[in-house]
Amino acid sequence: MRGLDTNVLVRYLVADDAEQTASAVRIVEHSRGTGGVLYISVVVLCELVWVLTRGYGHAKAEIVRVLELILRTKQFRLENDPLVRRSLDAFQAGRGDFADYLIGEICRQAGCDDCITFDRGLKGAAGFTLLR
């Protein structure tokens, strides 16, 4: 198993730099061909969403599609896959950012009663308490 950094995953998905994209594609295809596994941490997923949103202007629906594609790709192993899936579901249905829902799921998994936030986008979201 090998870990992927955000920049490699971005090149693979966005293909905006020919040389780096070719290298990223080679790594993913090699893993596919050999049955290798590429590990993606939750930090990388949060950075990916941020880069796609802020750097490339992708809409939420496109971000959700990309994350679903990553979840379906056999050679990718995600850190705490069930937690990521729950976070993605909440992100898709809610008004907060993906990272916010991931933080909420991490808090829940740690045994927290709730996650306290100032983020008004999470008002009414399960597991969050808005601090005023």
Side-chain angles (χ1 to χ4, degrees):
M1 180 164 50
R2 302 177 79 187
L4 286 183
D5 190 11
T6 309
N7 52 23
V8 175
L9 191 55
V10 168
R11 292 294 91 68
Y12 177 72
L13 295 167
V14 177
D16 63 346
D17 178 293
E19 187 175 326
Q20 289 184 355
T21 297
S23 295
V25 167
R26 271 194 307 276
I27 289 293
V28 174
E29 293 302 318
H30 178 74
S31 292
R32 179 179 293 138
T34 63
V37 175
L38 298 170
Y39 182 79
I40 301 173
S41 72
V42 294
V43 173
V44 166
L45 289 178
C46 288
E47 285 184 345
L48 173 67
V49 170
W50 189 88
V51 167
L52 293 178
T53 302
R54 303 280 196 287
Y56 293 91
H58 286 359
K60 182 177 181 175
E62 180 65 12
I63 302 290
V64 168
R65 189 191 71 71
V66 166
L67 292 174
E68 288 173 339
L69 174 69
I70 290 169
L71 285 164
R72 286 193 311 268
T73 302
K74 288 182 181 183
Q75 67 267 29
F76 293 151
R77 179 172 303 151
L78 277 68
E79 175 184 5
N80 206 332
D81 185 279
L83 183 140
V84 170
R85 290 176 188 277
R86 289 192 305 271
S87 301
L88 179 56
D89 289 344
F91 172 61
Q92 189 170 9
R95 294 184 2 233
D97 292 331
F98 175 75
D100 294 323
Y101 294 111
L102 186 60
I103 291 165
E105 287 296 330
I106 291 168
C107 289
R108 185 168 316 159
Q109 182 173 306
C112 300
D113 294 329
D114 61 355
C115 182
I116 303 165
T117 184
F118 286 113
D119 190 335
R120 296 197 186 286
L122 296 169
K123 183 179 181 182
F128 289 91
T129 299
L130 189 62
L131 191 61
R132 297 169 201 245

